[in-house]
Amino acid sequence: MSRALIIVDVQNDFCEGGSLAVKGGADVAAAISEYVDAHHNQFDHIVATQDWHIQPGDHFAEQPDFVDTWPPHCVAGTRGAELHPDLDTEYIDAYFQKGQYTAAYSGFEGVLAPEDAVPTGERKPGGAPLTEDAEAFAADEDAIGLDDWLQSHDVEDVVVVGLATDYCVMATALDAVQAGYSVTVMRELTAGIAPDLDDAYAEMELGGVDLA
């Protein structure tokens, strides 16, 4: 049995100064780095997910409701979509990018990014992509998904950390349970949007997620 750490969406736009900042996001990035540095030997694989929007339809809105619609964020190729600089990527084996043409909260909706780069760009955080270059950041048609990648590496046990507790972390953890993995979320290595995360914790526990 292999064990994997899934680091969810620790990106500039979800941290302080980003277009959809989660309070404490930068602290979570640093805390995950410290944890991984001390405990990477406890994992056979470490992967990271990224929101990676190109044209996600009504996921973006000029007047977002912050429930189903959001201000532009994590646009493919922008600085806002890059991993936060306080997240040490030394031990990350693979990156999975999600939400190119639709809303995507779970890391299990992501596909493997090109091996040679997690692309960067010169536009401002959250900036809209230019039509002519947006497709340059699209995934390969035959890119493998997160579940298939984990299965191919004989992973049975996953630990989930990252941003945001009550959205992408929760969605990733619940999908992992549904896919048959043993799942733990480390609360101290997450940060949420809601000021009270009790409902999110309860939903995860009800769904079969262990909280640590």
Side-chain angles (χ1 to χ4, degrees):
M1 180 181 78
S2 292
R3 189 170 187 240
L5 178 69
I6 302 175
I7 302 171
V8 177
D9 296 6
V10 182
Q11 296 166 263
N12 287 327
D13 269 348
F14 293 141
C15 296
E16 289 80 356
S19 65
L20 193 54
V22 178
K23 184 178 180 180
D27 288 341
V28 165
I32 291 172
S33 293
E34 291 181 9
Y35 175 80
V36 170
D37 187 55
H39 300 285
H40 63 91
N41 288 331
Q42 297 179 13
F43 297 94
D44 300 287
H45 307 285
I46 299 176
V47 301
T49 71
Q50 291 174 281
D51 245 14
W52 197 249
H53 298 306
I54 295 176
Q55 295 291 349
D58 59 8
H59 185 57
F60 287 174
E62 291 184 6
Q63 296 182 321
D65 62 16
F66 294 93
V67 177
D68 297 310
T69 60
W70 308 89
H73 59 276
C74 298
V75 172
T78 66
R79 188 172 67 86
E82 293 176 25
L83 298 171
H84 191 275
D86 288 343
L87 180 68
D88 187 350
T89 61
E90 178 181 358
Y91 297 105
I92 296 176
D93 301 311
Y95 302 88
F96 293 84
Q97 298 170 337
K98 59 187 174 66
Q100 295 182 18
Y101 299 104
T102 186
Y105 296 95
S106 170
F108 284 83
E109 298 175 81
V111 295
L112 185 65
E115 216 175 272
D116 57 348
V118 175
T120 62
E122 298 301 324
R123 293 181 292 276
K124 294 179 180 179
L130 301 174
T131 302
E132 59 267 24
D133 63 13
E135 293 300 328
F137 299 104
D140 294 335
E141 290 184 4
D142 58 351
I144 190 173
L146 176 57
D147 185 30
D148 287 340
W149 191 93
L150 294 173
Q151 289 189 42
S152 72
H153 290 81
D154 299 318
V155 172
E156 296 182 15
D157 183 12
V158 301
V159 175
V160 183
V161 300
L163 304 172
T165 312
D166 40 344
Y167 282 89
C168 296
V169 168
M170 181 168 68
T172 300
L174 291 174
D175 274 1
V177 172
Q178 290 298 311
Y181 300 95
S182 174
V183 184
T184 302
V185 168
M186 300 186 67
R187 284 176 287 191
E188 291 186 357
L189 298 181
T190 70
I193 293 174
D196 185 345
L197 296 171
D198 285 349
D199 287 347
Y201 293 145
E203 185 172 346
M204 284 190 276
E205 286 188 309
L206 186 64
V209 176
D210 291 328
L211 299 179

